[in-house]
Amino acid sequence: MQGWKTENCSSQPKELEMVNANTYIQRRNITSEERDKADGSGEKEVVYSCECRILSKDEYETYLQQEENNENTLVSMAAQAELYEKMLETEENQMTIMQAIADLYELQMGGE
């Protein structure tokens, strides 16, 4: 896998593009900028810049696997967060019930 290099484009580049059966281009940090055309006509054009690197087919497949693993991790983390929220809610409900029981006990014992 090659390092990231700067690329300038006249059309919006894709984040992942197949060059041939064994080579892919991966891009990130894609930005656009409007500027005057170089021909001096005074017209504006949109140009794009980004970072890019070349991936072999094996590196591309590894990249896809990493993306899938990252997505699975995020889904798992979201599920864990949801369970934690429910656990906190249950704990809060238990504390409310316990306080109500304690209040009833005090009322009953205080009345004797």
Side-chain angles (χ1 to χ4, degrees):
M1 185 178 316
Q2 296 181 2
W4 293 98
K5 297 179 183 179
T6 301
E7 178 183 36
N8 296 308
C9 307
S10 58
S11 60
Q12 185 167 1
K14 296 179 182 177
E15 287 187 16
L16 195 59
E17 185 175 352
M18 183 181 204
V19 177
N20 60 43
N22 297 313
T23 309
Y24 295 81
I25 296 178
Q26 181 185 13
R27 296 181 179 93
R28 68 180 183 186
N29 300 329
I30 300 170
T31 59
S32 64
E33 177 184 343
E34 190 175 281
R35 66 178 185 191
D36 292 330
K37 282 189 172 182
D39 62 9
S41 66
E43 294 181 28
K44 300 282 186 189
E45 66 180 346
V46 177
V47 293
Y48 299 87
S49 64
C50 61
E51 295 176 296
C52 68
R53 66 180 175 184
I54 305 296
L55 302 175
S56 68
K57 185 174 183 175
D58 289 340
E59 291 167 336
Y60 170 71
E61 289 171 357
T62 300
Y63 165 77
L64 290 180
Q65 186 63 45
Q66 288 173 342
E67 287 295 305
E68 184 178 326
N69 290 344
N70 290 345
E71 186 174 325
N72 290 342
T73 299
L74 289 175
V75 168
S76 176
M77 289 173 68
Q80 288 175 353
E82 187 176 331
L83 286 173
Y84 183 71
E85 290 284 329
K86 288 181 180 178
M87 184 180 75
L88 288 176
E89 186 178 306
T90 299
E91 187 177 297
E92 188 176 309
N93 289 342
Q94 287 176 335
M95 293 298 287
T96 302
I97 291 168
M98 290 171 63
Q99 184 61 48
I101 291 170
D103 290 346
L104 286 172
Y105 180 77
E106 285 181 19
L107 282 173
Q108 211 172 34
M109 296 306 287
E112 291 181 6

